[in-house]
Amino acid sequence: RQGRFFAAGAHDEKAFVWETRTGTLLHTLTGFRNRVKSIAFHPDGRRLYASSDGEISQFDLDTGQRLNAVQANDDWEGFVDVAPDGRTIATAAKGDWTVRLWDATTLARVRDVGRHEEVIHCLRFSPDGTLLLSGSQDCILKCWDMVEGGLAYAERFPSSVHSVAMSPDGHWLAIGLADSLRMVYVVREEGRWRQIEPLRGHESPVHPITFEPDGDLVSADYDTIKRWRLDRRSGFGELARLDAHVASIATSSDGRWVAFGDEAGGLRLADGRTNEMMFESVDAHAHRIRSLAFSSDGARLLSGSDDKTAAIWSVPDGALVNRLPFHDWVRNTVWLPDGDRIILGGDGSDLQMRSAATGETLATLDLPYARTGTLALSPDARTLAMGDQPGVLRLITVDGLDEVT
């Protein structure tokens, strides 16, 4: 069952669970008193833990039902992680600086592990479960020994610790600080820890960071996403990079191409197989790129922007094919499977079907008192689903752009 589900916690006091293979929404978890700030799967794949308003809730993933809950602290922004053996969970919170352990089944309190002197920003078990890692505003990373008890390692850094991760082999610690990414090499069998030079390229708080199963490291800050690869002789080297806030992303139907649009109007296209950047335009649009869509054959890319234009680009060379003026921000873009028609959704209350070749308007749907939200095309390409800003889900026929009543 490993990897069968993925989940997200939301600000609307809900959490959602999908099936990974199909993308089907399986459960909407409710009953929270505040936004859901942290979630963690149990290793058996049958349970999920969620932290909201200081309460830790345990859910059955087969039924979506809440099994039990415990008030771990009084802070709305808490963290939860599950030990790899599935026997305990760890909690901490920004307003409660104590790290605690709980029984993973009964949620009975086991013990307090220790505390920091300021706000806790991150909490994570090592892959083998022998260490529990916590980082804080006090600029200290603490590695708690889950076997013998006490501190196995503590290090003070130049700025606050916002995130932490350990490599699958247990030999590398990645620490995300307020202004940089640090690495520590761990000789576990000899009890030695050695800090190496910072990995350059982050200038704002580094969060989140995670190691992939093959040992590659992915790190992000407010403006940059980076991927690092370990060379056993020279250490970690930068493998790929995305700058600026990523505002939109799209993948071609065959997975070959991945496109990214950023807050500043920049557009990038990467090879999804090699991570090679195929083209990069820092001024593809004058403002934020809100949406992206590939043609069905992957040969063209459609972008929609706050600069009140949509643009069509050639793939993979990035040549501009056509720029289509629009009367409003372009919030949504859909490329129909016939390759000849596109649909644009504005920030206001209308949808337009355009010719991809000429930009001619083929059909328009006005939606009074609505504001176009997310668009999704049915597998048979006959129906559009649209969620609008008032919270109404609408179904729209593609031919003619008529709303289904």
Side-chain angles (χ1 to χ4, degrees), residues 24-227:
T24 302
L25 178 64
L26 300 177
H27 303 298
T28 299
L29 310 180
T30 59
F32 300 104
R33 300 191 300 265
N34 207 325
R35 64 188 67 178
V36 179
K37 291 296 294 182
S38 178
I39 53 177
F41 285 101
H42 191 277
D44 66 8
R46 296 180 179 274
R47 289 175 281 169
L48 176 76
Y49 303 88
S51 174
S52 173
D53 206 29
E55 183 181 66
I56 306 299
S57 300
Q58 180 179 196
F59 291 89
D60 184 314
L61 288 178
D62 289 325
T63 66
Q65 297 299 307
R66 180 184 272 102
L67 299 176
N68 50 9
V70 64
Q71 193 69 37
N73 52 69
D74 295 323
D75 191 88
W76 67 274
E77 192 164 2
F79 307 97
V80 60
D81 198 23
V82 187
D85 64 6
R87 297 171 60 184
T88 56
I89 64 172
T91 66
K94 287 199 171 184
D96 180 0
W97 307 341
T98 301
V99 178
R100 296 186 174 94
L101 294 181
W102 310 79
D103 184 279
T105 301
T106 66
L107 297 188
R109 187 167 169 175
V110 175
R111 64 184 172 93
D112 290 357
V113 175
R115 62 178 282 114
H116 284 266
E117 297 306 316
E118 290 191 48
V119 169
I120 293 177
H121 289 299
C122 55
L123 184 70
R124 187 176 290 186
F125 280 99
S126 64
D128 63 4
T130 61
L131 295 173
L132 178 60
L133 318 171
S134 61
S136 166
Q137 189 70 24
D138 61 14
C139 305
I140 298 176
L141 170 74
K142 294 187 177 183
C143 301
W144 308 94
D145 192 322
M146 293 290 97
V147 179
E148 302 293 335
L151 271 175
Y153 173 75
E155 182 77 30
R156 181 178 293 276
F157 290 93
S159 58
S160 53
V161 180
H162 285 256
S163 54
V164 63
M166 180 168 272
S167 62
D169 64 7
H171 283 302
W172 290 95
L173 268 179
I175 303 102
L177 304 182
D179 58 358
S180 63
L181 179 63
R182 302 295 179 111
M183 300 298 301
V184 172
Y185 184 70
V186 185
V187 185
R188 297 286 295 280
E189 63 273 12
E190 299 177 17
R192 292 190 287 109
W193 307 67
R194 178 172 60 86
Q195 186 178 162
I196 66 173
E197 290 298 313
L199 301 182
R200 302 297 180 183
H202 288 291
E203 298 179 355
S204 57
V206 182
H207 176 82
I209 53 177
T210 186
F211 279 96
E212 297 184 342
D214 63 2
D216 283 358
L217 176 68
V218 179
S219 60
D221 61 24
Y222 295 152
D223 301 305
T224 307
I225 300 172
K226 285 178 171 285
R227 185 180 181 129

